[in-house]
Amino acid sequence: MPATEGTFDQSWDQKQDSNDWPPLNPKNGDATSLPVDVLQGQFRSVSIRNDDDDDGESKNFPRHNESSSSLNQATWRSLPIKENHEQFLRDFMDIVIEKAVFEGTSRKNRVVEWTAPIDLLSAINLNPEDKGLTHEDLLSLAKSVIRYSVKTGHPRFINQLYSSIDPYGLAAQWLTDALNPSVYTFEVSPVFSVMEEVVLKEMRKIVGWPDGKGDGIFCPGGSMANGYAVNIARHHQFPQLKETGLSQGPRLVVFTSEDAHYSIKKLCAYLGIGTSNVYSVRVDSRGKMMLDDLEAQIQRAVAECGVPLMVSATAGTTVIGAFDPLRGIADICRKYKIWLHVDAAWGGGALVSAKYSHLLDGIELADSVTWNPHKLLAAPQQCSTLLTRHENLLQAAHSANATYLFQKDKFYDTSYDSGDKHIQCGRRADVFKFWFMWKAKGSDGLESHIDRVFQLSEYFADTIRGRDGWKLLVEPECTNVCFWYVPPSKRHLKGEELTLALQKIAPLIKEKMVRKGSMLITYQPLREHPNFFRLVLQNSGVTESDVMFFIEEIERLSYKL
Amino acid sequence: MPATEGTFDQSWDQKQDSNDWPPLNPKNGDATSLPVDVLQGQFRSVSIRNDDDDDGESKNFPRHNESSSSLNQATWRSLPIKENHEQFLRDFMDIVIEKAVFEGTSRKNRVVEWTAPIDLLSAINLNPEDKGLTHEDLLSLAKSVIRYSVKTGHPRFINQLYSSIDPYGLAAQWLTDALNPSVYTFEVSPVFSVMEEVVLKEMRKIVGWPDGKGDGIFCPGGSMANGYAVNIARHHQFPQLKETGLSQGPRLVVFTSEDAHYSIKKLCAYLGIGTSNVYSVRVDSRGKMMLDDLEAQIQRAVAECGVPLMVSATAGTTVIGAFDPLRGIADICRKYKIWLHVDAAWGGGALVSAKYSHLLDGIELADSVTWNPHKLLAAPQQCSTLLTRHENLLQAAHSANATYLFQKDKFYDTSYDSGDKHIQCGRRADVFKFWFMWKAKGSDGLESHIDRVFQLSEYFADTIRGRDGWKLLVEPECTNVCFWYVPPSKRHLKGEELTLALQKIAPLIKEKMVRKGSMLITYQPLREHPNFFRLVLQNSGVTESDVMFFIEEIERLSYKL
């Protein structure tokens, strides 16, 4: 059989070398007699030799027992078939675009249609079925899922450190899904493998490392990025621990502020360092790490026979949005030879703004940086990065050299086979949505976005700063604005009574807010402070009118408290 | 201001209690005078009180300096605007559906249009721009990204343990993206929080735990799931290590077979256990863990003053697809009181088939199970789970009790706020695509899918089993079929000469295959075996004719070797 194809293969290979892509002739061996591009000149289509008909079923081999006209039976097959699925996919996307994207972000509609957990179980039949549903039923289910979901892209969703649905990021995410890549080898994910390196290098340039030198990875969330930072710091100082394990090593100590994200402690527990070896450094009245206490904690660790491993500074704390004094922390890290990590998951976006990048002054002195474009820069979730100025360390710390995946005898430059730098094996291409947004907006657009969300938060703070019943917890640095609101009936309270009242007021307002569905903002206690609200802005589609709505709606909701 | 709204709020709250959702009147306080459902009766729309016009801009407050007619300027805003973005999104999805979904999975087209890394950088301008691009340019970029990406949904992509683009899974993924949820609290992700619990329970029932009792999580990939397993095993046996860290504990030892996935070693390094404390257990000629060697390794660990922590058995090894003898391993684990984890990331899908579930006989004796629906069940990436029969352990091992996120004074049942079980904070809703596929196909359909991919791999093995030049590495158990192909010119070789030739043949065939783009199959060495090919089938849209194409194409590509 192969013998008859000799000429065919030969002509193909010759054409390959000339970098001209001829189609393969499905019926005979002459590869040059068919048009090269058959699909609108945009996307070169090449007919691959098939021994029989185009549907891939051969008359010479047992045919699977199925009537090809039966759409119902075909639903279990995992291959999209144009005549079976195109209309469904288009109908489905009509619903998604209309109801989730545009109605879900319209100020005319609720942010949430509150339904208690128990009621949700009856509102949507969540149980799997024995027999598959019809397309009609599936479309109806999709509508229900949209209806009862919180509209996190709504301009009145200011509840978390993510929000909005950026239209370009969303489009790119849709395309990523359709390509379903796993970014571990160039072989199966060529475009996204190269794109990751380009984007990570640009981000390192913005951080301030010369020529963008260093290394980096995309990972599923800032917590994971912080975990990677701890592990490369550990590997940098004690490379043998990768093999021996920590039971053979010293007691390592990590330092971070009391206002740092909980992932530092959580990942230190996971990595075997232990929560009690995360030393908490005090913050000042604005939530910034205190340098003298950092130095005191380092000296305490040494006195207690611990080995200082890393200081994790925060650029944009989760609740207050404070920026730790990076330059001063870097001085201390240099003095004691400690790895400096900067968790800029939240505040990193400010680096693209000439006006606000000073908030992260000194970040270029860090050994590693966590920066999540899905936060301030409003990329869809998840889009998180860990950047480091140390080359090859990610690979050294994490590689396992699996020969089934990272073959060294491939015919191409395998330096783009980046998978072994990660602790994940399969991994989604989170880069594309951010890259596509960057292309759509330009660096100038990203800067306008950042400047706008800072401007909005300043507008909010300015507006409530003298308004009856409102009190800022702290002067904001990032786009977080933390505040208490005291309804008229409670304004006479003082001291402990006021504290007790405040602890209850925010949850009560929040309950009314959720049930009404008009907006979503979160509350929390912090250190000695009773429950307060935290506005977070990263949606540049929010307007001053929305900001006024937030203020007046909170007043409305609290009126009867 | 709030005073005038008192009646309004009151009537609203009363309506809430009656579970009837009135709209809010944008112009006056009478909430009952407007129609309840304004959007086609499918999706209840509620007008939220706005102080002025619908675009959210207020005439009373500073307006951002932008002409609303300027589409270009608006691209940096993260909010979708119907008049600016709807046509773009629809045009974009036309390209995605036509080029990525249907042309990308058509047998008439290539699996890959090979372009070397250096050439890719000139084929697509990957560098970020200062100024944003036009919609036209963006659509053109999207086409280029599709063109140069590997079509992992193509029926001739049999290169990895994922493939295909299931149309229902894909649709659900698109909807998930549009809702952009983070599944850490019911408050912001109500539907997916509840859905996760329903699906995880169903999966536990399928594993065989009574009434589906236990716990579980979705996580980004099987490597992560295996890491979770190690950590809950550790917390189960030594809960104090979460706080103290491993430097204060014994040397823990994990046992897994030499053919197990590399993530066990990788994650044990990451978790501080150390690669040298992962003891390799020998496999038999079919790639299955040998019980006598397992027991010998456990006794060696004890003799060396190590503490046995976990046996990680594999149900469907990565390369060969072997199923470890779970029942026998469970006996040994019981005898030595060791945690039994089963990495069924790959083979777990066989559990839904009456015909093939026997391969995982004894899995119900496991303490924890990794099972990735994105592998054999062909859900889009990523969809991975870690299941355990131990309740509350995930929470105990991983919780950090962040008060800003997991407030205990919320007004609803916070048991669905599952985020603190995870080491991630923000987390994508990977459940929906799998749930939606299950709804579309039914349990019967999932079973048909599994039976079909096994049938196809049996057909492949049967066909090559006496064919000239073909040799099975091992009789297949899962849908992996490992084989050597020796071209005619090399068939006279024997012994060491043949081994050396085989080591080179597979990479050469692979290079020709990639450059031609007609199919993608991976090769690797394993233990003493030189490079061989591994066919993996999880796309139930593959046909017998495709299988014959694989065979004949490999023969064609090798003809001149």
Side-chain angles (χ1 to χ4, degrees), chain A residues 146-173:
Chain A
I146 297 170
R147 174 177 170 180
Y148 292 108
S149 287
V150 169
K151 308 305 181 296
T152 66
H154 197 291
R156 272 94 191 249
F157 178 83
I158 49 169
N159 203 74
Q160 311 286 154
L161 299 187
Y162 69 94
S163 70
S164 81
I165 309 178
D166 184 84
Y168 305 99
L170 176 61
Q173 180 96 289

mmCIF file of all heavy atoms in Angstrom, chain A residues 146-173:
data_model
loop_
_atom_site.group_PDB
_atom_site.id
_atom_site.type_symbol
_atom_site.label_atom_id
_atom_site.label_comp_id
_atom_site.label_asym_id
_atom_site.label_seq_id
_atom_site.Cartn_x
_atom_site.Cartn_y
_atom_site.Cartn_z
ATOM 1 N N ILE A 146 -28.371 31.490 33.462
ATOM 2 C CA ILE A 146 -28.077 32.928 33.385
ATOM 3 C C ILE A 146 -28.938 33.688 34.387
ATOM 4 O O ILE A 146 -28.445 34.524 35.143
ATOM 5 C CB ILE A 146 -28.324 33.460 31.959
ATOM 6 C CG1 ILE A 146 -27.373 32.795 30.960
ATOM 7 C CG2 ILE A 146 -28.172 34.982 31.917
ATOM 8 C CD1 ILE A 146 -27.707 33.082 29.499
ATOM 9 N N ARG A 147 -30.203 33.367 34.394
ATOM 10 C CA ARG A 147 -31.131 34.100 35.245
ATOM 11 C C ARG A 147 -30.703 34.097 36.708
ATOM 12 O O ARG A 147 -30.739 35.122 37.383
ATOM 13 C CB ARG A 147 -32.525 33.490 35.103
ATOM 14 C CG ARG A 147 -33.526 34.090 36.060
ATOM 15 C CD ARG A 147 -34.914 33.516 35.853
ATOM 16 N NE ARG A 147 -35.776 33.949 36.949
ATOM 17 C CZ ARG A 147 -37.060 33.621 37.064
ATOM 18 N NH1 ARG A 147 -37.622 32.857 36.139
ATOM 19 N NH2 ARG A 147 -37.759 34.040 38.080
ATOM 20 N N TYR A 148 -30.331 32.937 37.204
ATOM 21 C CA TYR A 148 -30.043 32.821 38.636
ATOM 22 C C TYR A 148 -28.581 33.083 38.984
ATOM 23 O O TYR A 148 -28.195 32.991 40.148
ATOM 24 C CB TYR A 148 -30.488 31.446 39.153
ATOM 25 C CG TYR A 148 -31.989 31.296 39.128
ATOM 26 C CD1 TYR A 148 -32.611 30.462 38.198
ATOM 27 C CD2 TYR A 148 -32.786 32.018 40.011
ATOM 28 C CE1 TYR A 148 -33.994 30.343 38.156
ATOM 29 C CE2 TYR A 148 -34.169 31.913 39.984
ATOM 30 C CZ TYR A 148 -34.769 31.075 39.045
ATOM 31 O OH TYR A 148 -36.133 30.973 39.007
ATOM 32 N N SER A 149 -27.779 33.371 37.983
ATOM 33 C CA SER A 149 -26.383 33.680 38.273
ATOM 34 C C SER A 149 -26.220 35.156 38.613
ATOM 35 O O SER A 149 -26.949 36.008 38.108
ATOM 36 C CB SER A 149 -25.504 33.331 37.060
ATOM 37 O OG SER A 149 -25.374 31.932 36.943
ATOM 38 N N VAL A 150 -25.246 35.430 39.446
ATOM 39 C CA VAL A 150 -24.897 36.818 39.738
ATOM 40 C C VAL A 150 -24.213 37.406 38.509
ATOM 41 O O VAL A 150 -23.362 36.764 37.891
ATOM 42 C CB VAL A 150 -23.962 36.888 40.965
ATOM 43 C CG1 VAL A 150 -23.384 38.281 41.128
ATOM 44 C CG2 VAL A 150 -24.726 36.483 42.223
ATOM 45 N N LYS A 151 -24.616 38.628 38.153
ATOM 46 C CA LYS A 151 -24.060 39.266 36.962
ATOM 47 C C LYS A 151 -22.792 40.028 37.363
ATOM 48 O O LYS A 151 -22.814 41.220 37.663
ATOM 49 C CB LYS A 151 -25.093 40.200 36.325
ATOM 50 C CG LYS A 151 -26.459 39.551 36.050
ATOM 51 C CD LYS A 151 -26.345 38.288 35.200
ATOM 52 C CE LYS A 151 -27.713 37.665 34.918
ATOM 53 N NZ LYS A 151 -28.424 37.171 36.122
ATOM 54 N N THR A 152 -21.681 39.311 37.337
ATOM 55 C CA THR A 152 -20.428 39.911 37.809
ATOM 56 C C THR A 152 -19.896 40.968 36.841
ATOM 57 O O THR A 152 -18.991 41.713 37.184
ATOM 58 C CB THR A 152 -19.344 38.838 38.019
ATOM 59 O OG1 THR A 152 -19.002 38.284 36.744
ATOM 60 C CG2 THR A 152 -19.825 37.723 38.928
ATOM 61 N N GLY A 153 -20.461 41.019 35.642
ATOM 62 C CA GLY A 153 -20.051 42.043 34.682
ATOM 63 C C GLY A 153 -20.882 43.308 34.785
ATOM 64 O O GLY A 153 -20.620 44.299 34.088
ATOM 65 N N HIS A 154 -21.875 43.296 35.630
ATOM 66 C CA HIS A 154 -22.788 44.427 35.794
ATOM 67 C C HIS A 154 -22.046 45.603 36.437
ATOM 68 O O HIS A 154 -21.242 45.404 37.337
ATOM 69 C CB HIS A 154 -23.937 43.969 36.691
ATOM 70 C CG HIS A 154 -25.150 44.848 36.654
ATOM 71 N ND1 HIS A 154 -25.157 46.111 37.178
ATOM 72 C CD2 HIS A 154 -26.398 44.632 36.162
ATOM 73 C CE1 HIS A 154 -26.373 46.641 37.011
ATOM 74 N NE2 HIS A 154 -27.139 45.762 36.388
ATOM 75 N N PRO A 155 -22.301 46.828 35.959
ATOM 76 C CA PRO A 155 -21.558 47.967 36.546
ATOM 77 C C PRO A 155 -21.855 48.182 38.033
ATOM 78 O O PRO A 155 -21.102 48.889 38.696
ATOM 79 C CB PRO A 155 -22.022 49.166 35.707
ATOM 80 C CG PRO A 155 -23.240 48.710 34.973
ATOM 81 C CD PRO A 155 -23.135 47.230 34.818
ATOM 82 N N ARG A 156 -22.905 47.558 38.536
ATOM 83 C CA ARG A 156 -23.194 47.711 39.973
ATOM 84 C C ARG A 156 -22.697 46.513 40.784
ATOM 85 O O ARG A 156 -23.045 46.364 41.950
ATOM 86 C CB ARG A 156 -24.690 47.935 40.205
ATOM 87 C CG ARG A 156 -25.080 49.404 40.135
ATOM 88 C CD ARG A 156 -25.548 49.805 38.752
ATOM 89 N NE ARG A 156 -25.702 51.239 38.546
ATOM 90 C CZ ARG A 156 -26.897 51.835 38.382
ATOM 91 N NH1 ARG A 156 -27.996 51.151 38.435
ATOM 92 N NH2 ARG A 156 -26.950 53.131 38.158
ATOM 93 N N PHE A 157 -21.877 45.662 40.162
ATOM 94 C CA PHE A 157 -21.211 44.587 40.913
ATOM 95 C C PHE A 157 -19.823 45.102 41.290
ATOM 96 O O PHE A 157 -18.915 45.168 40.464
ATOM 97 C CB PHE A 157 -21.093 43.324 40.056
ATOM 98 C CG PHE A 157 -20.375 42.178 40.733
ATOM 99 C CD1 PHE A 157 -21.059 41.338 41.601
ATOM 100 C CD2 PHE A 157 -19.025 41.944 40.520
ATOM 101 C CE1 PHE A 157 -20.397 40.278 42.228
ATOM 102 C CE2 PHE A 157 -18.362 40.894 41.141
ATOM 103 C CZ PHE A 157 -19.052 40.056 42.006
ATOM 104 N N ILE A 158 -19.697 45.527 42.548
ATOM 105 C CA ILE A 158 -18.401 46.066 43.006
ATOM 106 C C ILE A 158 -17.994 45.306 44.260
ATOM 107 O O ILE A 158 -17.466 45.852 45.215
ATOM 108 C CB ILE A 158 -18.519 47.576 43.296
ATOM 109 C CG1 ILE A 158 -19.743 47.849 44.181
ATOM 110 C CG2 ILE A 158 -18.618 48.359 42.003
ATOM 111 C CD1 ILE A 158 -19.779 49.259 44.736
ATOM 112 N N ASN A 159 -18.231 44.001 44.202
ATOM 113 C CA ASN A 159 -18.174 43.135 45.378
ATOM 114 C C ASN A 159 -16.822 42.482 45.585
ATOM 115 O O ASN A 159 -16.482 42.093 46.694
ATOM 116 C CB ASN A 159 -19.231 42.034 45.204
ATOM 117 C CG ASN A 159 -19.683 41.403 46.503
ATOM 118 O OD1 ASN A 159 -20.423 42.045 47.255
ATOM 119 N ND2 ASN A 159 -19.239 40.185 46.764
ATOM 120 N N GLN A 160 -16.075 42.285 44.496
ATOM 121 C CA GLN A 160 -14.839 41.504 44.594
ATOM 122 C C GLN A 160 -13.730 42.231 43.855
ATOM 123 O O GLN A 160 -13.974 43.257 43.217
ATOM 124 C CB GLN A 160 -15.035 40.118 43.955
ATOM 125 C CG GLN A 160 -16.256 39.346 44.364
ATOM 126 C CD GLN A 160 -16.211 38.757 45.753
ATOM 127 O OE1 GLN A 160 -17.225 38.533 46.377
ATOM 128 N NE2 GLN A 160 -15.017 38.530 46.258
ATOM 129 N N LEU A 161 -12.551 41.634 43.878
ATOM 130 C CA LEU A 161 -11.409 42.204 43.144
ATOM 131 C C LEU A 161 -11.412 41.799 41.674
ATOM 132 O O LEU A 161 -10.394 41.828 41.000
ATOM 133 C CB LEU A 161 -10.093 41.827 43.814
ATOM 134 C CG LEU A 161 -9.913 42.303 45.247
ATOM 135 C CD1 LEU A 161 -8.501 42.016 45.742
ATOM 136 C CD2 LEU A 161 -10.204 43.787 45.392
ATOM 137 N N TYR A 162 -12.574 41.343 41.177
ATOM 138 C CA TYR A 162 -12.758 41.194 39.741
ATOM 139 C C TYR A 162 -14.156 41.724 39.459
ATOM 140 O O TYR A 162 -15.019 41.731 40.336
ATOM 141 C CB TYR A 162 -12.632 39.734 39.291
ATOM 142 C CG TYR A 162 -13.754 38.857 39.758
ATOM 143 C CD1 TYR A 162 -14.870 38.610 38.952
ATOM 144 C CD2 TYR A 162 -13.743 38.312 41.028
ATOM 145 C CE1 TYR A 162 -15.925 37.837 39.398
ATOM 146 C CE2 TYR A 162 -14.792 37.535 41.483
ATOM 147 C CZ TYR A 162 -15.885 37.295 40.670
ATOM 148 O OH TYR A 162 -16.925 36.530 41.117
ATOM 149 N N SER A 163 -14.379 42.180 38.256
ATOM 150 C CA SER A 163 -15.715 42.584 37.824
ATOM 151 C C SER A 163 -15.633 42.944 36.363
ATOM 152 O O SER A 163 -14.555 42.918 35.778
ATOM 153 C CB SER A 163 -16.234 43.782 38.633
ATOM 154 O OG SER A 163 -15.526 44.951 38.307
ATOM 155 N N SER A 164 -16.772 43.260 35.780
ATOM 156 C CA SER A 164 -16.906 43.608 34.371
ATOM 157 C C SER A 164 -16.735 42.389 33.477
ATOM 158 O O SER A 164 -16.219 41.357 33.887
ATOM 159 C CB SER A 164 -15.925 44.712 33.945
ATOM 160 O OG SER A 164 -14.644 44.181 33.686
ATOM 161 N N ILE A 165 -17.220 42.523 32.250
ATOM 162 C CA ILE A 165 -16.940 41.531 31.205
ATOM 163 C C ILE A 165 -16.346 42.322 30.070
ATOM 164 O O ILE A 165 -17.075 42.903 29.266
ATOM 165 C CB ILE A 165 -18.217 40.860 30.660
ATOM 166 C CG1 ILE A 165 -19.094 40.330 31.770
ATOM 167 C CG2 ILE A 165 -17.839 39.736 29.695
ATOM 168 C CD1 ILE A 165 -20.386 39.716 31.240
ATOM 169 N N ASP A 166 -15.070 42.361 30.004
ATOM 170 C CA ASP A 166 -14.472 43.114 28.906
ATOM 171 C C ASP A 166 -14.808 42.432 27.585
ATOM 172 O O ASP A 166 -14.560 41.238 27.406
ATOM 173 C CB ASP A 166 -12.954 43.188 29.063
ATOM 174 C CG ASP A 166 -12.363 44.050 27.983
ATOM 175 O OD1 ASP A 166 -12.352 45.275 28.180
ATOM 176 O OD2 ASP A 166 -11.960 43.518 26.930
ATOM 177 N N PRO A 167 -15.394 43.163 26.625
ATOM 178 C CA PRO A 167 -15.859 42.512 25.393
ATOM 179 C C PRO A 167 -14.732 41.862 24.590
ATOM 180 O O PRO A 167 -14.943 40.825 23.966
ATOM 181 C CB PRO A 167 -16.526 43.639 24.605
ATOM 182 C CG PRO A 167 -16.155 44.910 25.282
ATOM 183 C CD PRO A 167 -15.766 44.587 26.683
ATOM 184 N N TYR A 168 -13.550 42.454 24.611
ATOM 185 C CA TYR A 168 -12.447 41.874 23.832
ATOM 186 C C TYR A 168 -11.836 40.676 24.559
ATOM 187 O O TYR A 168 -11.510 39.658 23.939
ATOM 188 C CB TYR A 168 -11.392 42.950 23.527
ATOM 189 C CG TYR A 168 -12.036 44.129 22.829
ATOM 190 C CD1 TYR A 168 -12.376 45.279 23.533
ATOM 191 C CD2 TYR A 168 -12.384 44.035 21.494
ATOM 192 C CE1 TYR A 168 -13.030 46.334 22.909
ATOM 193 C CE2 TYR A 168 -13.032 45.089 20.852
ATOM 194 C CZ TYR A 168 -13.362 46.235 21.569
ATOM 195 O OH TYR A 168 -14.021 47.260 20.946
ATOM 196 N N GLY A 169 -11.719 40.815 25.866
ATOM 197 C CA GLY A 169 -11.244 39.676 26.645
ATOM 198 C C GLY A 169 -12.191 38.494 26.531
ATOM 199 O O GLY A 169 -11.771 37.333 26.410
ATOM 200 N N LEU A 170 -13.493 38.791 26.544
ATOM 201 C CA LEU A 170 -14.492 37.734 26.447
ATOM 202 C C LEU A 170 -14.422 37.038 25.095
ATOM 203 O O LEU A 170 -14.432 35.798 25.009
ATOM 204 C CB LEU A 170 -15.887 38.339 26.659
ATOM 205 C CG LEU A 170 -17.071 37.392 26.494
ATOM 206 C CD1 LEU A 170 -17.008 36.240 27.500
ATOM 207 C CD2 LEU A 170 -18.390 38.160 26.665
ATOM 208 N N ALA A 171 -14.339 37.819 24.035
ATOM 209 C CA ALA A 171 -14.250 37.226 22.697
ATOM 210 C C ALA A 171 -13.046 36.287 22.616
ATOM 211 O O ALA A 171 -13.136 35.158 22.125
ATOM 212 C CB ALA A 171 -14.147 38.328 21.644
ATOM 213 N N ALA A 172 -11.924 36.757 23.137
ATOM 214 C CA ALA A 172 -10.707 35.952 23.076
ATOM 215 C C ALA A 172 -10.854 34.669 23.888
ATOM 216 O O ALA A 172 -10.385 33.599 23.494
ATOM 217 C CB ALA A 172 -9.519 36.770 23.578
ATOM 218 N N GLN A 173 -11.537 34.786 25.009
ATOM 219 C CA GLN A 173 -11.773 33.596 25.832
ATOM 220 C C GLN A 173 -12.626 32.588 25.061
ATOM 221 O O GLN A 173 -12.375 31.382 25.107
ATOM 222 C CB GLN A 173 -12.492 34.043 27.116
ATOM 223 C CG GLN A 173 -12.812 32.947 28.066
ATOM 224 C CD GLN A 173 -11.755 32.812 29.147
ATOM 225 O OE1 GLN A 173 -10.630 32.384 28.902
ATOM 226 N NE2 GLN A 173 -12.117 33.191 30.336
#
